[in-house]
Amino acid sequence: MDFFANYDKIKNEFDSGSFADNPDNFATSEQFRVGFSPKYKYTNGEIVLNSSANVMDRALFNYGSFSYYKSRSINADLFNKYSILPELFVVTGAQFQFHEMSNKSDYVDLPKELAKFNMIDPYATAVYNSDFGFNFNAGVRYTIHSKFGNNWVFNLNPSYSIPNTPIKLLASYSTAFIAPSLYQLYSSYGDVNLSPEKDKTLEAGFEAELFNKKLTLTSIAFLRDEVDAIGFDLVTYKYFSVSGVNKARGIETMFSYQLNSRIKWNANYTFTEMERQSRILNPKHKVNTGLDIQATERLAFSATYQFVSDRYTEYSTYGPAPDYETIINSEILKDYQLVNANVRYVVIKNRLNVFASAENILNKDFVEARGFSTRGRNFKLGLNINL
């Protein structure tokens, strides 16, 4: 049985908003997490329970007053994996989730008895891997949501390895049900009348293994329809359900090359076109590449490069008195490039390692969100201990 327990205590400062520094603002948070995962194996199968619980307390001091937030989450996922044939296995199970939150300040009194919901999701998946190159994965999930009722989702994932070639053809079709979060429903920016988002996604592509499988190249094209996507209204400062269908389409390409037993090069490129609310702060082009070097059994280096293209964003300002009319503005945030590196050394195998990292090595000035600063060149030293 696997078991984990975590405790986090954090204190940080934050701005009052875009272009609005405030040295008096601060926040504290305290979080407890615990979980366990027992397993039972039997002939041709196994039963697994993944469970966890989380409790968090947060306090924010902003504009001269405190706001207090509390949340609690419970998750339990019990499933059975059974091999019917050497090439066919099925997974059946059910997942339970419970979430609640509360918020108290001079302006808000939201009790946990109001802001909560739970979900029970029975599901089943079948996986078939043939000996002639054809593979098929199909799954279905039935979500029973305490606030949004019952919803079916499914996925179909066929693939085919073309004989006597290094190419595998890939495809998938899936649906999704995405319920609004407690914050989107019950916070001061929320709307209890939000609808859940429902998506349909179609993907098609290929995977190729070349040069004695040292090089792996994968490319996937996707098309997604988002119904009732959740946006944020800059006039009312409230979350809302975007009417109609948002469309997103693009291509994801991944590249991996094993230069030798110690050096590996990875890269990926994503092209995305989105409509309406979905395109806010989402770049059309994004590139990541990295080099991993296992210098010795204990010593490892890595370096990464990231490019993020121009992004569209919107923000609100106010007109002159006495009406102070809300004005919606748009802006294009410039592209940026980042170079990072880190080194790691294993002092005691499976027990202790030390690491050092450098981020934004070229000290680039860039913007992720309008009106908020980003970190320049920065360094980190640390160690990981496994007891």
Side-chain angles (χ1 to χ4, degrees):
M1 182 177 75
D2 298 326
F3 173 82
F4 75 87
N6 299 92
Y7 172 72
D8 304 306
K9 188 171 184 178
I10 300 171
K11 182 177 181 180
N12 65 280
E13 299 174 348
F14 62 93
D15 296 335
S16 290
S18 60
F19 302 105
D21 293 336
N22 190 328
D24 297 325
N25 286 356
F26 71 92
T28 61
S29 67
E30 192 173 28
Q31 180 175 216
F32 299 87
R33 290 175 291 170
V34 64
F36 64 93
S37 180
K39 300 177 182 179
Y40 172 73
K41 292 188 176 182
Y42 60 94
T43 304
N44 296 333
E46 66 174 342
I47 299 173
V48 180
L49 172 64
N50 293 320
S51 62
S52 63
N54 176 295
V55 176
M56 175 178 279
D57 286 351
R58 299 174 60 225
L60 276 69
F61 183 80
N62 191 19
Y63 294 111
S65 65
F66 276 97
S67 296
Y68 300 95
Y69 301 86
K70 292 185 178 182
S71 65
R72 181 165 64 105
S73 298
I74 298 172
N75 179 73
D77 186 2
L78 177 67
F79 66 88
N80 175 59
K81 179 181 177 182
Y82 181 73
S83 295
I84 300 174
L85 299 169
E87 63 273 14
L88 174 65
F89 69 85
V90 294
V91 177
T92 56
Q95 182 178 19
F96 170 78
Q97 297 180 66
F98 171 81
H99 305 280
E100 70 176 15
M101 64 172 280
S102 64
N103 176 205
K104 189 173 181 62
S105 69
D106 292 342
Y107 313 100
V108 177
D109 187 4
L110 177 66
K112 64 181 182 180
E113 291 78 13
L114 175 64
K116 63 181 179 180
F117 57 62
N118 64 74
M119 292 174 282
I120 300 175
D121 295 37
Y123 60 87
T125 299
V127 179
Y128 174 70
N129 297 311
S130 74
D131 57 3
F132 55 87
F134 176 73
N135 305 300
F136 189 73
N137 180 330
V140 64
R141 178 181 288 259
Y142 185 59
T143 299
I144 306 168
H145 198 291
S146 61
K147 180 173 176 60
F148 296 108
N150 305 335
N151 293 269
W152 287 98
V153 297
F154 68 91
N155 66 83
L156 304 172
N157 301 278
S159 66
Y160 180 64
S161 297
I162 301 175
N164 303 316
T165 74
I167 304 222
K168 177 190 286 188
L169 302 179
L170 309 169
S172 74
Y173 179 77
S174 63
T175 62
F177 164 82
I178 306 172
S181 67
L182 289 174
Y183 188 83
Q184 292 170 329
L185 290 168
Y186 297 107
S187 73
S188 55
Y189 304 103
D191 182 352
V192 295
N193 295 313
L194 286 176
S195 299
E197 179 180 328
K198 296 182 179 180
D199 297 348
K200 297 177 182 179
T201 304
L202 177 64
E203 298 181 343
F206 70 91
E207 177 183 282
E209 293 183 326
L210 308 169
F211 306 117
N212 294 322
K213 297 186 178 181
K214 288 185 176 181
L215 171 64
T216 301
L217 176 65
T218 305
S219 187
I220 303 287
F222 65 89
L223 176 64
R224 182 173 67 249
D225 287 348
E226 304 169 346
V227 178
D228 290 329
I230 296 175
F232 190 77
D233 192 317
L234 292 173
V235 176
T236 63
Y237 279 79
K238 293 281 188 179
Y239 289 101
F240 72 100
S241 294
V242 180
S243 62
V245 179
N246 272 329
K247 290 185 178 293
R249 60 183 180 181
I251 297 175
E252 296 178 334
T253 300
M254 292 150 283
F255 167 97
S256 176
Y257 184 65
Q258 190 76 46
L259 280 78
N260 55 46
S261 61
R262 295 186 179 273
I263 303 176
K264 188 175 184 179
W265 177 27
N266 298 289
N268 61 71
Y269 165 71
T270 303
F271 167 79
T272 310
E273 278 192 336
M274 295 183 171
E275 296 179 347
R276 305 161 75 183
Q277 278 277 332
S278 297
R279 70 191 179 111
I280 293 177
L281 292 179
N282 279 305
K284 180 173 285 191
H285 306 281
K286 191 172 183 178
V287 176
N288 294 282
T289 186
L291 197 64
D292 297 321
I293 303 173
Q294 190 69 44
T296 68
E297 184 179 343
R298 294 176 178 268
L299 182 64
F301 301 91
S302 69
T304 62
Y305 166 83
Q306 182 183 67
F307 168 78
V308 177
S309 69
D310 295 348
R311 288 139 294 135
Y312 172 85
T313 189
E314 294 179 350
Y315 62 96
S316 61
T317 55
Y318 298 96
D323 297 329
Y324 297 106
E325 180 184 4
T326 301
I327 302 171
I328 303 300
N329 307 272
S330 62
E331 183 177 331
I332 301 297
L333 303 180
K334 293 183 178 180
D335 62 81
Y336 64 86
Q337 304 174 65
L338 297 176
V339 176
N340 308 313
N342 71 70
V343 58
R344 184 177 298 272
Y345 184 77
V346 177
V347 180
I348 303 174
K349 189 175 181 179
N350 298 324
R351 287 288 183 266
L352 173 65
N353 65 72
V354 294
F355 64 89
S357 65
E359 298 183 352
N360 194 6
I361 294 174
L362 302 181
N363 203 30
K364 291 290 186 179
D365 186 15
F366 66 101
V367 176
E368 287 185 317
R370 181 185 178 275
F372 294 91
S373 61
T374 52
R375 290 185 295 179
R377 184 185 299 117
N378 61 96
F379 303 92
K380 180 166 59 176
L381 297 172
L383 55 87
N384 291 321
I385 302 174
N386 295 320
L387 300 177

